Amino acid sequence: MHKILSIAWKETIIRFSSRTELLFFLILPIAFTFILSDGLAGDPSEGTQSIELLVVNVDDSELAQTLVDGIDATSAVRVALVSAETAADQFADDATAVLTIPTGFGAAVNAGEAVTLDLQKEPDNNDATIVEQTVNAVIGSLNQPLAIAQAGVAFAEQTQPFADTAARDTFFVATLDRAQTLLADAPSRFVVTKPDGSISEEASFDVTAHQSAGQLVTWVFIPLLGVAAVFAFERNHGTLRRLLTTPTTKATQLLGIVSGHVGHAIVQMLLLMVFGAVVLQVDWGKSPLGLVIMMLSFGLAGVALGTMLGTLIKTTSQASSVAILLGMAMALLGGCWFPLEIFPPAAQTVARFLPTTWAMEGFSNLLAVNTGIDGVLVPAAVLLGFAVVFFGVGVWRFRYE
Amino acid sequence: MSEPILTTRNLTRKFGDFVAVNDVSFSVLRGEIFSLLGPNGAGKTTTISMLSCLIAPTSGDAAIDGHSINGNPNGVKNAIGVVPQEIALYDTLTARQNLNFWGHMSGMSGKALKTRIEEVLEQVELTDRADDKVEAYSGGMKRRINIAVGLLHKPKLLFMDEPTVGIDPQSRRRILDMVSDLRDQGMTVLYTTHYMEEAEELSDRVGIIDHGKLIALGTQKELTKLVGQQESLRLHLGEGITGESVQELFANVDGVLQSNALDGEVILSVTEAATALPGAVTVANANNIRIRSVDIQEPNLEAVFLHLTGRALRD
């Protein structure tokens, strides 16, 4: 046993002998999880100084006022309402940008017609770029409720024509306001309840949880494939050959390398889970036993595939390249980055033959569907099946030189 | 120094149709340094690989400290230490970490291992660099740690496979002194080399191997007797003249028994150097061959190899 631990410890020292390894072990996985799980969501210009935008509003509609209020509500830009002349003077002087809302803006939007807003901005000016992005973002946020309001007006007109234009405008603004309110309060999570009791608890899809699991699988899986480089290194440096002249069996060597790298994977998974739980409020603790089963089976499947690759690949640089390319492709196809449902049927069929798919299924069941240990038994069994096949091929093809 | 620790019987290894080691039988006695001398590709490393249980013999067997390499490889592995030709170390570990790891692989642990690591570090004179990563070592230092790993568990028989290949003369000298010290300490060493001088300096007995066959075996004195009273005349030729082009010219000189070409020189086996040298110089002058220098050598292992194979050791 102490030989296995020695080999595992040696693998640990070698892997972390370079500080850059920490980048791939922890820093990048955390960064990607945080970014992709919408951890940075919010006003894109949050934290910047407020920039003054001169607004010439010559339209007296409520929609024009809504647009102005929307821009002014952002933390990046503050609105200064001015006349066209003042705006021209100040823009000629040192103003960053001028937005002009033309007459008839509200009426044209109500009628579903295209409207052009005029935004003048200083060239090659970062503040002007931020203003432009902010205005676009506010217009973008108005588009969805506008579409809803326009559809509402059209539907109302089909039922009963409006008495006059004023009544139509009033209805439009009320619908727009209602749509904005509802959209602002829209849930980020959909809850589906199945009546047949096959899954008794609530089933949910959570983008943050999906990214936490997906990035975990991605960043743990690639280094596990990198075990191929360990075998290539040992073969090329003669250390494997030397190991075999000691009273240490092949099985011990293999177990040492495997346990070392599975150990690294488990520590990495635990750290990423702690990050997900503490920072992103992902509930990783619903079934600790299920998690242990998934971590072990996923770790073994990954390291077994790495071992098999190690018998096919000759050099460490080849092994590293293959591990990254294959790992990324399998993570993508396995649904680690995007839900598998968005892929074409053929890709979904192929994905059933990938360990990443089953790892995602197991972790997702624990997180999103909350099926407890029952939800991980099949994925874990499939992963262990992969491990047996990959190890079998790896041991069969194992050569010391 | 009478009881054999290693005995091989008709050891043979084939790779397809190629016979790398052909029916080799010899013994190594406890406490001696036994050299296997032969050119590159002679079968030295394949022999060591079989004896250290890395590859199985196609036929034949060997017993090391009473354990058969075919029947009890684990017993063999417990008795041997191996210093391979390549630097089989982990570059990103320190020397001490390497020794600690390899010690565990040899079945050592705890305080005994710790103490032994300090001893071998002292033995290879690297105590002060023990905590440096091996990747920062010079080639010679890496070779010394490579040897230290083989010595760590005090093996009964140490295999050293060309341990001086590719290093500078100073490091080579240091390693040869280290091997001499091992002999003084009573360790049994099976040493392979293609350097005749190393075999001569270190060995109690030498086995000469060529094309997979053991063609001679004995002490240096016994082996040189094989070539009788022959001496060697080594003619270093002028620039632009290859040994091969003039080999035949010198073969007919009076007193020359054999003429062999090397890169830029010709080695003549002669009955008496003083008699043959004037004839050789006359032939050289007659053919406008410039002789830059001449070495006269007493019978040595190189002459033995030449005598037995018709080729120089470095051919």
Side-chain angles (χ1 to χ4, degrees):
Chain A
M1 185 63 187
H2 83 274
K3 285 185 180 179
I4 293 174
L5 291 177
S6 288
I7 295 171
W9 182 238
K10 178 258 296 177
E11 289 300 315
T12 305
I13 300 175
I14 289 175
R15 180 168 175 187
F16 294 99
S17 61
S18 163
R19 285 181 187 171
T20 55
E21 181 59 27
L22 273 181
L23 188 70
F24 297 97
F25 187 76
L26 202 57
I27 297 169
L28 285 178
I30 282 179
F32 271 77
T33 306
F34 189 58
I35 293 165
L36 295 175
S37 63
D38 231 12
L40 293 177
D43 191 328
S45 53
E46 195 172 305
T48 58
Q49 293 283 326
S50 176
I51 306 160
E52 187 176 71
L53 169 66
L54 304 180
V55 176
V56 180
N57 184 5
V58 291
D59 186 55
D60 58 356
S61 69
E62 289 193 42
L63 187 60
Q65 191 55 47
T66 303
L67 176 61
V68 171
D69 292 345
I71 295 169
D72 201 36
T74 64
S75 57
V77 175
R78 66 177 187 280
V79 169
L81 285 169
V82 293
S83 66
E85 293 75 22
T86 309
D89 289 346
Q90 290 190 15
F91 188 68
D93 190 7
D94 63 347
T96 306
V98 176
L99 174 69
T100 303
I101 303 173
T103 311
F105 166 75
V109 171
N110 287 355
E113 296 167 3
V115 187
T116 303
L117 291 172
D118 180 32
L119 179 70
Q120 287 179 281
K121 62 184 181 79
E122 280 197 327
D124 302 324
N125 183 316
N126 286 337
D127 284 355
T129 305
I130 291 172
V131 167
E132 185 180 18
Q133 287 176 345
T134 304
V135 170
N136 283 336
V138 172
I139 292 170
S141 73
L142 277 175
N143 277 340
Q144 200 174 5
L146 275 174
I148 293 169
Q150 283 166 349
V153 169
F155 186 75
E157 270 183 326
Q158 280 177 6
T159 310
Q160 184 180 351
F162 291 104
D164 52 29
T165 307
R168 190 176 186 281
D169 287 351
T170 305
F171 184 84
F172 177 84
V173 170
T175 311
L176 179 64
D177 184 52
R178 180 76 176 138
Q180 282 175 322
T181 306
L182 289 174
L183 283 170
D185 294 339
S188 62
R189 175 181 298 190
F190 296 94
V191 176
V192 178
T193 305
K194 289 199 173 183
D196 61 8
S198 61
I199 298 171
S200 57
E201 297 180 49
E202 67 171 12
S204 59
F205 178 76
D206 180 346
V207 173
T208 305
H210 181 267
Q211 286 302 335
S212 184
Q215 292 303 312
L216 178 148
V217 171
T218 303
W219 289 94
V220 171
F221 189 63
I222 292 172
L224 283 174
L225 296 190
V227 170
V230 173
F231 287 101
F233 174 92
E234 297 263 8
R235 258 197 322 270
N236 296 338
H237 282 70
T239 45
L240 200 54
R241 188 180 159 91
R242 183 173 220 165
L243 269 170
L244 292 170
T245 67
T246 67
T248 304
T249 62
K250 280 183 191 175
T252 303
Q253 292 169 32
L254 205 57
L255 272 174
I257 292 172
V258 164
S259 57
H261 287 271
V262 170
H264 302 162
I266 287 174
V267 170
Q268 191 181 12
M269 283 189 262
L270 286 173
L271 290 172
L272 293 177
M273 285 172 186
V274 167
F275 172 79
V278 173
V279 178
L280 304 173
Q281 275 78 53
V282 175
D283 189 0
W284 277 106
K286 289 174 183 167
S287 172
L289 182 59
L291 271 188
V292 170
I293 292 171
M294 275 310 298
M295 285 194 289
L296 279 174
S297 54
F298 172 50
L300 284 170
V303 83
L305 181 54
T307 303
M308 189 182 83
L309 288 175
T311 65
L312 304 169
I313 290 168
K314 294 200 185 316
T315 66
T316 50
S317 55
Q318 274 177 1
S320 301
S321 306
V322 168
I324 291 169
L325 287 175
L326 200 60
M328 299 277 252
M330 289 172 92
L332 173 66
L333 282 173
C336 299
W337 303 348
F338 309 104
L340 211 50
E341 289 72 18
I342 69 167
F343 289 97
Q348 291 188 36
T349 305
V350 171
R352 305 315 289 173
F353 297 95
L354 302 177
T356 43
T357 307
W358 293 96
M360 272 308 286
E361 185 161 324
F363 285 123
S364 298
N365 285 351
L366 285 174
L367 281 173
V369 186
N370 194 19
T371 54
I373 196 169
D374 290 345
V376 303
L377 289 180
V378 171
V382 175
L383 285 170
L384 289 174
F386 276 126
V388 169
V389 171
F390 295 148
F391 272 133
V393 175
V395 170
W396 170 57
R397 289 188 48 87
F398 184 84
R399 301 285 182 274
Y400 66 81
E401 61 183 6
Chain B
M1 211 167 80
S2 56
E3 180 197 349
I5 189 169
L6 161 67
T7 306
T8 73
R9 286 183 294 275
N10 310 110
L11 210 53
T12 300
R13 174 69 199 198
K14 296 178 183 173
F15 295 101
D17 292 335
F18 176 69
V19 185
V21 175
N22 191 357
D23 206 26
V24 166
S25 299
F26 65 93
S27 292
V28 176
L29 306 178
R30 284 185 195 274
E32 77 169 335
I33 294 184
F34 182 95
S35 288
L36 269 181
L37 175 68
N40 290 328
K44 303 186 295 291
T45 299
T46 305
T47 303
I48 295 254
S49 296
M50 284 190 282
L51 295 177
S52 52
C53 305
L54 268 176
I55 54 174
T58 308
S59 61
D61 198 0
I64 296 175
D65 198 35
H67 306 287
S68 157
I69 58 170
N70 292 323
N72 185 10
N74 221 37
V76 170
K77 289 177 180 181
N78 276 309
I80 62 169
V82 179
V83 180
Q85 206 173 118
E86 65 269 59
I87 309 285
L89 299 170
Y90 297 101
D91 279 357
T92 48
L93 300 188
T94 66
R96 198 186 301 280
Q97 286 169 333
N98 263 292
L99 289 167
N100 190 55
F101 171 74
W102 289 107
H104 278 110
M105 293 306 104
S106 301
M108 303 175 78
S109 60
K111 201 178 171 189
L113 174 58
K114 218 171 175 180
T115 308
R116 184 62 186 149
I117 286 173
E118 295 310 317
E119 285 174 6
V120 293
L121 281 170
E122 209 160 301
Q123 204 168 350
V124 298
E125 299 173 35
L126 282 170
T127 304
D128 56 333
R129 299 288 304 273
D131 294 313
D132 290 352
K133 285 185 179 177
V134 169
E135 65 191 0
Y137 279 17
S138 68
M141 290 161 76
K142 286 179 183 174
R143 284 266 167 214
R144 276 144 64 196
I145 287 293
N146 207 32
I147 292 172
V149 168
L151 294 173
L152 199 56
H153 58 295
K154 293 186 179 173
K156 292 177 180 170
L157 172 60
L158 181 67
F159 296 137
M160 300 184 85
D161 191 8
E162 309 220 29
T164 60
V165 166
I167 55 172
D168 60 275
Q170 196 182 357
S171 299
R172 186 180 179 201
R173 180 71 263 153
R174 215 161 181 169
I175 288 173
L176 294 180
D177 290 344
M178 203 185 296
V179 179
S180 295
D181 289 345
L182 292 176
R183 176 179 43 204
D184 296 342
Q185 291 160 19
M187 180 166 278
T188 312
V189 179
L190 173 55
Y191 189 97
T192 75
T193 183
H194 62 271
Y195 295 122
M196 177 266 299
E197 312 82 34
E198 290 185 6
E200 282 182 347
E201 178 182 335
L202 297 173
S203 315
D204 295 299
R205 291 190 306 142
V206 177
I208 297 179
I209 188 167
D210 188 43
H211 293 311
K213 284 192 83 76
L214 192 66
I215 54 175
L217 190 155
T219 61
Q220 193 181 337
K221 204 170 178 182
E222 289 167 345
L223 290 173
T224 49
K225 273 185 186 171
L226 294 173
V227 291
Q229 296 302 310
Q230 288 178 21
E231 291 177 330
S232 292
L233 268 181
R234 188 182 289 260
L235 309 180
H236 301 277
L237 306 178
E239 283 178 14
I241 302 168
T242 59
E244 287 83 352
S245 63
V246 296
Q247 180 179 339
E248 288 302 315
L249 293 174
F250 292 101
N252 299 320
V253 172
D254 279 349
V256 172
L257 303 171
Q258 204 169 12
S259 170
N260 285 86
L262 283 179
D263 187 23
E265 60 187 30
V266 174
I267 302 170
L268 307 176
S269 295
V270 297
T271 46
E272 194 178 347
T275 311
L277 184 56
V281 172
T282 303
V283 167
N285 289 338
N287 290 279
N288 286 326
I289 298 168
R290 184 179 165 224
I291 299 174
R292 295 170 65 196
S293 63
V294 177
D295 289 338
I296 300 173
Q297 293 173 333
E298 297 287 313
N300 58 19
L301 292 176
E302 175 114 27
V304 175
F305 190 84
L306 198 62
H307 173 77
L308 294 171
T309 67
R311 292 179 291 113
L313 200 49
R314 283 174 283 166
D315 275 0

